[in-house]
Amino acid sequence: ARDMSEQLTALVARVDALEARPLTEGASADAVAAFEAQLAKVRESLSAQQDEVKAMVAEAQAMEQASAEAARIASAQGVAGRLIASLDAGQPFVALLDELSALQVDAPADLAGTAAAGVATHAALPDGFAPAARAALSDARDENKAVGGLLDYVNRHLGARSVEPREGSDADAVLSRAEAAVRSGNLQLAMSELAALPEADKPAIADWETAAQTRLSAMAACVALSPTLNAK
């Protein structure tokens, strides 16, 4: 279509040059009128063809742009899929964010901040909860040992704790419910339960909470990113 447009432009220029030449000199008035009428028809026809070709060129360019945009979105969706896989595997994903940037997609801050180290895997968080919970419960029992009885003394030294969720506001009860939520894969519920842990007992489990929250935030950012990669 672009070549046709250039050819028509050249042809119009030739008609303009032909019109400017004194071809009607010495001809009769009727001949001159007929020649000018015919020339006007040629110019009108050429103008119409130029408009058609311009429309064809514009349509072709629009289709080319739409195709390029579709390809960009498809590529970004593919990168987003690999990003989720990297999060699940606990792998760094700086290179994937660079790919998104090259595709004109800005990564959410919750992803950019954890790209170099990756996030804890879904399997690692349950494995890491038990030792953190024992440390938190030990701190709680040490704090209350002055008022505890014989059972508290035994539990403190044996490290005994509830392995099934139970009601209550004490550290053992809170940690038992949180651990049950972790085992079921509900990290958000586990974080909500841990919020009720007494402040003095929280430092021992703070690192685990940070790892869990980092994973939750990164996965939420991936979920929020996906709708932005749909074709408009």
Side-chain angles (χ1 to χ4, degrees), residues 20-65:
R21 294 174 58 185
L23 298 178
T24 58
E25 186 176 341
S28 66
D30 290 342
V32 170
F35 174 77
E36 290 179 347
Q38 189 63 32
L39 191 59
K41 289 181 180 180
V42 171
R43 291 182 61 82
E44 184 178 345
S45 176
L46 286 173
S47 178
Q49 291 181 52
Q50 272 191 309
D51 290 341
E52 290 178 6
V53 170
K54 287 179 181 178
M56 290 172 61
V57 169
E59 183 178 357
Q61 290 175 336
M63 291 178 64
E64 183 178 357
Q65 291 173 356

Side-chain angles (χ1 to χ4, degrees), residues 6 25 49-50 67 112 117 126 134 137 148 158 165 185 199 204:
E6 292 175 353
E25 186 176 341
Q49 291 181 52
Q50 272 191 309
S67 178
R134 283 194 293 268
L137 189 54
L158 294 180
E199 289 298 323

Side-chain angles (χ1 to χ4, degrees), residues 25-222:
E25 186 176 341
S28 66
D30 290 342
V32 170
F35 174 77
E36 290 179 347
Q38 189 63 32
L39 191 59
K41 289 181 180 180
V42 171
R43 291 182 61 82
E44 184 178 345
S45 176
L46 286 173
S47 178
Q49 291 181 52
Q50 272 191 309
D51 290 341
E52 290 178 6
V53 170
K54 287 179 181 178
M56 290 172 61
V57 169
E59 183 178 357
Q61 290 175 336
M63 291 178 64
E64 183 178 357
Q65 291 173 356
S67 178
E69 178 65 6
R72 182 186 72 85
I73 290 172
S75 295
Q77 289 172 336
V79 176
R82 287 187 284 134
L83 180 58
I84 292 175
S86 291
L87 285 173
D88 280 340
Q91 298 171 341
F93 46 90
V94 175
L96 294 177
L97 296 191
D98 289 341
E99 287 187 47
L100 286 178
S101 179
L103 292 167
Q104 302 173 28
V105 177
D106 294 328
D110 284 331
L111 287 176
T114 59
V119 300
T121 65
H122 198 272
L125 287 172
D127 290 344
F129 186 87
R134 283 194 293 268
L137 189 54
S138 176
D139 289 348
R141 285 168 174 168
D142 283 343
E143 184 182 1
N144 298 324
K145 63 183 178 181
V147 295
L150 178 60
L151 181 60
D152 288 331
Y153 176 83
V154 172
N155 284 338
R156 186 168 67 252
H157 285 275
L158 294 180
R161 63 191 182 90
S162 299
V163 293
E164 295 297 330
R166 67 178 181 82
E167 295 299 320
S169 59
D170 60 286
D172 186 36
V174 170
L175 290 167
S176 72
R177 294 193 301 271
E179 185 167 10
V182 172
R183 286 199 303 265
S184 70
N186 194 337
L187 292 180
Q188 193 62 62
L189 176 58
M191 297 293 284
S192 297
E193 292 287 1
L194 290 175
L197 198 65
E199 289 298 323
D201 307 328
K202 288 183 177 181
I205 206 165
D207 288 345
W208 185 92
E209 284 188 285
T210 298
Q213 186 57 59
T214 298
R215 177 181 173 81
L216 285 171
S217 298
M219 294 303 292
C222 274

